[in-house]
Amino acid sequence: DAGITQSPRHKVTETGTPVTLRCHQTENHRYMYWYRQDPGHGLRLIHYSYGVKDTDKGEVSDGYSVSRSKTEDFLLTLESATSSQTSVYFCAISRDYEQYFGPGTRLTVT
Amino acid sequence: DQQVKQNSPSLSVQEGRISILNCDYTNSMFDYFLWYKKYPAEGPTFLISISSIKDKNEDGRFTVFLNKSAKHLSLHIVPSQPGDSAVYFCAASSVQGGKLIFGQGTELSVKP
């Protein structure tokens, strides 16, 4: 257990609305990540952070932004949600080479 | 371009037999490889890993083999148990603390 929580765990929202997902960790890890999981694609990296206010893009970053104002919190924002962003979102932290994941947020955009 | 590939979407084995899950990669810069297990409605959990300086790593019933020349790794589960039924993802990384590249996953079903 890496002490990672995600909120909300489930969300249904309408196209065009902003959505923010929160990841919280209790172990003071430097690196944090946001992934999305879709059938046939495995997990794909959206954005990651290597410290407070230090973030970078992953392979599927379009339509997403992130912020990290405190070590323990990493926020993922969909500025204007689209149906293609319906997915399960996972946050992760890094310990050496391994990453440890939160329980996920299932987001449905209608 | 899929740098990490799991070509079998699903695998079914009998309880007590060996399960072999395969993974291929294309980037020769990858130097660390991991396997994750995922149950429905849960996050992936780290299972086992291997560094590129090794060709085998064991942890109880789980063994990972790495063939660098073929850019291939495999996960062996012996003996398989019904509780092993899950989706298994392989992943690769080229730098400590860096990004992981995941395969598409293989759904393992272990029949009693």
Side-chain angles (χ1 to χ4, degrees), chain B residues 40-85:
Chain B
E42 295 183 10
T45 55
F46 170 68
L47 195 56
I48 192 170
S49 60
I50 187 167
S51 164
S52 61
I53 63 172
K54 296 184 176 181
D55 55 18
K56 177 182 175 181
N57 188 28
E58 283 183 83
D59 184 1
R61 296 185 297 113
F62 302 90
T63 302
V64 56
F65 295 92
L66 175 62
N67 182 334
K68 284 176 289 186
S69 61
K71 294 189 176 67
H72 177 83
L73 66 155
S74 60
L75 175 68
H76 292 211
I77 307 173
V78 183
S80 302
Q81 300 173 353
D84 296 329
S85 297

Side-chain angles (χ1 to χ4, degrees), chain B residues 27-47:
Chain B
N27 189 340
S28 58
M29 297 301 293
F30 288 143
D31 59 4
Y32 204 78
F33 303 88
L34 308 90
W35 284 95
Y36 285 83
K37 176 180 180 179
K38 187 184 178 305
Y39 292 119
E42 295 183 10
T45 55
F46 170 68
L47 195 56

